[in-house]
Amino acid sequence: MSATPIATTRSSAGMPTGLLAVWWVIASEIVIFGGLLASYIMHRLAHDAWSAHAANTNTWIGAFNTLVLLSSSLAAVLGHKAAEEGDGAKAARQLWYTFAGGATFLVVKGFEWAMEISHGYTISANTFWSFYYTAAGLHATHVLAGIIIMAVVARKAARNVDLHHVELIGVYWHFVDVVWIFLFPLLYIAK
Amino acid sequence: MSDAHESHHGNYWKIWAWLCALLVVSVAGPFLEIQAVTLITAFGIAVVKAYLVAVHFMHINVAKRYIVYLASTTLIFMLLFFAAVAPDVMQEDGSNWTKPAWIAEAQTPPTVHGGANPH
């Protein structure tokens, strides 16, 4: 009996089952993050005082993390290209670059939060900071999940095993990047 | 691997360079201290950046058509959610209702303890 799950070998609806599953995950994530961001926007528009709270987020840290995520997305798509060319070693190397980007993002986020909490800006300080930590925390959880999966896929890709997984984790990672692209102006720019 | 994606690899470095340039513009926008410019450079550019990532990195333009329908449907649901809930959040009263006082009090600011701006 083969150890490979049948779902990874068959194609449904004209595309690989795994890729279809990732897109369904993304569709559900759009509702989760979309609902959260929509709630933030309506509260932000309704309460002018939030601009005073938002003024305490650090734009430069947010911009640096945006650059890190955009660069990690570049590495992910280069890994996808390498995987389609059958170059598992190169694909794995690019995925490790992506992993490093995600890890850097989380470390920077950790220092940022520590600094903010030390200044009294905790999750219970007021509604703005509740939204801030909830939205950024949910996103950071997705980054953490992404880099763990990335490491598993990279280890296999280095042995030229399951190279189609490189595309799947890449699509997920780009979505995480897109979410941050919207979080960045909401939390760091609009003050 | 997706057959649809086989021949759709473009110049990813060029796209990344554009994304970085747009990031610089979105950070620089608020320095002009014109609200309309800030809104455009922040959110308008965010939409452009998201488009570039979705099309050139996620290859959504060459994915099956129903993937676009799937993503669009969830976006529409999000807009419906916003339209349905926003009046309750953004208005103080309406037909036969007034926002309870405790909500207004809870939404009045700043209760931040401590002090220095970490920015």
Side-chain angles (χ1 to χ4, degrees):
Chain A
M1 180 185 285
S2 168
T4 305
I6 192 168
T8 65
T9 59
R10 70 184 174 190
S11 175
S12 64
M15 67 197 306
T17 311
L19 186 59
L20 179 63
V22 171
W23 276 110
W24 270 103
V25 168
I26 289 173
S28 61
E29 297 277 10
I30 289 174
V31 180
I32 293 169
F33 279 106
L36 188 62
L37 296 187
S39 301
Y40 175 87
I41 290 169
M42 63 181 83
H43 278 87
R44 179 76 168 77
L45 292 174
H47 308 115
D48 291 338
W50 281 33
S51 60
H53 304 311
N56 295 307
T57 59
N58 192 314
T59 305
W60 298 111
I61 292 179
F64 175 77
N65 261 348
T66 307
L67 177 63
V68 167
L69 274 194
L70 291 174
S71 303
S72 70
S73 257
L74 171 67
V77 79
L78 290 175
H80 171 200
K81 184 181 179 189
E84 289 199 342
E85 292 167 352
D87 190 343
K90 185 177 178 185
R93 192 165 59 248
Q94 293 295 345
L95 286 189
W96 284 118
Y97 292 151
T98 312
F99 177 96
T104 302
F105 178 92
L106 291 176
V107 169
V108 171
K109 180 62 65 184
F111 279 111
E112 181 189 18
W113 280 17
M115 187 170 65
E116 286 160 350
I117 290 169
S118 71
H119 284 84
Y121 306 124
T122 63
I123 193 169
S124 57
N126 54 52
T127 325
F128 168 80
W129 289 102
S130 296
F131 263 109
Y132 171 84
Y133 285 109
T134 303
L138 185 63
H139 178 265
T141 306
H142 281 73
V143 172
L144 180 62
I147 63 172
I148 291 170
I149 299 168
M150 195 87 62
V152 174
V153 174
R155 283 172 61 87
K156 287 168 118 180
R159 304 192 305 272
N160 274 323
V161 174
D162 290 338
L163 286 181
H164 61 290
H165 288 177
V166 176
E167 178 185 9
L168 307 188
I169 186 59
V171 170
Y172 169 85
W173 192 258
H174 301 315
F175 173 74
V176 171
D177 191 10
V178 168
V179 171
W180 183 258
I181 282 173
F182 287 105
L183 277 178
F184 173 59
L186 282 173
L187 300 178
Y188 295 89
I189 299 285
K191 298 186 173 178
Chain B
M1 251 160 280
S2 169
D3 295 337
H5 297 182
E6 294 291 353
S7 58
H8 291 279
H9 293 294
N11 187 340
Y12 296 125
W13 284 94
K14 185 178 169 186
I15 300 300
W16 176 79
W18 271 109
L19 289 167
C20 292
L22 291 170
L23 171 62
V24 171
V25 175
S26 63
V27 173
F31 285 100
L32 295 175
E33 297 184 347
I34 302 170
Q35 194 176 26
V37 173
T38 300
L39 286 174
I40 292 168
T41 55
F43 298 105
I45 283 181
V47 171
V48 175
K49 281 196 291 188
Y51 172 82
L52 288 175
V53 171
V55 170
H56 295 283
F57 287 179
M58 299 173 85
H59 306 110
I60 197 168
N61 58 328
V62 294
K64 292 289 178 188
R65 183 68 60 86
Y66 59 79
I67 294 298
V68 178
Y69 293 154
L70 179 65
S72 303
T73 303
T74 54
L75 283 172
I76 290 168
F77 271 115
M78 192 188 77
L79 293 175
L80 284 175
F81 164 77
F82 187 94
V85 177
D88 276 355
V89 175
M90 300 176 65
Q91 294 178 10
E92 294 304 312
D93 51 36
S95 300
N96 302 319
W97 68 273
T98 304
K99 187 175 285 185
W102 67 270
I103 294 181
E105 284 168 18
Q107 289 166 347
T108 22
T111 52
V112 173
H113 352 283
N117 185 341
H119 183 52

